[in-house]
Amino acid sequence: MTQTQTLTAEDLFRSAYENRYTWDAQFPGYSCDVTMTTPEGSYSAHATIDSELKFEVTGVEDDSAKKAITQQLWEITIHRVNHSFAKSHGDNTFSFGDSKDGEVEIVVGGASAGNRYKVKDKHVTFVYRRMGAGIVSIDTYGFLDTEKGYLSTGYDSIYLDAETLQPKGGKTVFEDTFTEIGGYYILTNRKITKNENGTTSTTEFDFSNVTL
């Protein structure tokens, strides 16, 4: 593959990392209404994310619903933070793994040894990363390309036991919809479908009345 002959593994991974869509330093924060729909019922709340990406959920009394909505705000903000490549990966080394159909595997050494990624067309298409006592494996197959980087719109994840590498629970599929509001791309809908023990369940989060 010509690209791997001219770029190092670090160069290739950095280009994809820096192509992610993040919010800039002028991001003002926003407020929105949230509706969470589960097989058990529907819950409504109000959410705010401020300019420093601190968030709050109000207007919902059910503890489990509040926890689930708060988890979504954490997910939203952590992926929009503009950390430099050096801050996130400065203690890592990178080498090439397998390549197939234009998708290049990046093997990580150093501080995060054992992690792996796959990159194609300046998009991270696969993540295999240790998280606490487990490993998360994420396949991404849907993207929204903006002038300021890409957003993942379709992906699935599964957690593995770090010792046995066997799945802990079933696969979870995410479908995300983003809307450009005031020059910023905001998550306005997320569907999460869990497949476990032959049973499928879907939870949907709708973020409406978004105001910067």
Side-chain angles (χ1 to χ4, degrees), residues 71-72 75-76 78-80 124-127 129 136-144 150-159 171-178 187 189-195 205 207:
Q71 172 70 21
Q72 294 309 307
E75 292 272 358
I76 290 168
I78 198 171
H79 287 103
R80 300 287 80 82
V124 176
T125 58
F126 174 76
V127 174
R129 184 172 62 208
V136 63
S137 176
I138 302 171
D139 273 298
T140 303
Y141 44 81
F143 300 96
L144 170 65
Y150 76 87
L151 291 151
S152 301
T153 58
Y155 49 102
D156 58 53
S157 70
I158 191 165
Y159 284 92
K171 181 180 292 185
T172 303
V173 178
F174 295 81
E175 300 172 76
D176 289 352
T177 300
F178 295 89
L187 180 69
N189 186 270
R190 169 171 285 170
K191 292 181 181 178
I192 304 174
T193 301
K194 294 184 177 182
N195 302 282
F205 296 88
F207 305 89

Side-chain angles (χ1 to χ4, degrees), residues 1 3-4 12 96-100 102-106 117-120:
M1 182 178 175
Q3 193 173 32
T4 62
L12 193 66
F96 289 118
D98 296 331
S99 299
K100 184 179 180 181
E103 191 175 52
V104 182
E105 183 181 42
I106 306 294
Y117 299 89
K118 291 181 182 178
V119 173
K120 183 177 183 179

Side-chain angles (χ1 to χ4, degrees), residues 35-89:
T35 301
M36 181 179 79
T37 304
T38 74
E40 291 75 35
S42 182
Y43 305 88
S44 297
H46 188 74
T48 57
I49 297 175
D50 69 17
S51 60
E52 297 180 349
L53 304 191
K54 297 177 181 177
F55 49 83
E56 183 180 19
V57 175
T58 58
V60 58
E61 295 182 359
D62 186 271
D63 288 341
S64 62
K66 184 174 183 177
K67 182 178 180 180
I69 294 170
T70 300
Q71 172 70 21
Q72 294 309 307
L73 295 187
W74 179 81
E75 292 272 358
I76 290 168
T77 55
I78 198 171
H79 287 103
R80 300 287 80 82
V81 176
N82 188 9
H83 287 317
S84 69
F85 184 81
K87 181 175 181 178
S88 296
H89 294 285

